[in-house]
Amino acid sequence: MIFRMKNALTAAAVLVTALMSQQALAHAHLASASPASKAEVSDSPKELTLAFTEGVEAGFSGVSVTGADGKTVTTGKATVDAADSKVLHIPLSSELKAGDYRVDWHVLSVDGHKTKGMYHFSVK
């Protein structure tokens, strides 16, 4: 009887751990970006491409790009890639001058979780 109770408790603990780890993985985290974090590009990018670990909702996602001078770069509306809901495209409205740039991003994953983060890149 005690042996069965121990087995049941062990199984319940494994199940709870598995369910909790699935919730932690449900958030959309930045998997890659173009330009990449800490990248030094020679030409001004025409858009930013951010790939996440989960699908994202374009209407509730976006970025703010700030130059080293503290001025915000004008961007177009963020769109989700037609072939992959994990990829967000953000067009840049003007050419970026040489310098360092900070990208602050925020997304709403398709399962309703919000995440945000930031990274830097530079243009030669």
Side-chain angles (χ1 to χ4, degrees):
M1 177 79 148
I2 291 179
F3 183 72
R4 285 185 187 165
M5 186 185 265
K6 284 183 181 180
N7 283 344
L9 286 174
T10 300
V14 169
L15 180 62
V16 167
T17 301
L19 290 173
M20 290 177 71
S21 68
Q22 289 297 320
Q23 285 183 330
L25 295 175
H27 294 70
H29 298 284
L30 186 64
S32 65
S34 178
S37 177
K38 301 179 185 174
E40 189 174 284
V41 297
S42 55
D43 295 321
S44 174
K46 301 222 182 301
E47 75 172 11
L48 302 178
T49 304
L50 287 77
F52 295 91
T53 56
E54 298 288 327
V56 297
E57 296 285 346
F60 300 99
S61 304
V63 303
S64 174
V65 181
T66 309
D69 59 4
K71 293 183 181 178
T72 301
V73 175
T74 304
T75 62
K77 185 177 178 182
T79 58
V80 171
D81 190 284
D84 188 352
S85 67
K86 296 178 184 177
V87 178
L88 195 64
H89 298 281
I90 303 92
L92 298 173
S93 300
S94 60
E95 190 169 308
L96 302 181
K97 298 177 188 175
D100 296 325
Y101 292 88
R102 175 182 167 131
V103 178
D104 289 283
W105 57 266
H106 66 277
V107 294
L108 177 69
S109 62
V110 292
D111 64 2
H113 291 104
K114 296 178 185 177
T115 53
K116 62 182 179 177
M118 57 79 66
Y119 72 94
H120 291 89
F121 72 91
S122 61
V123 177
K124 284 180 159 182

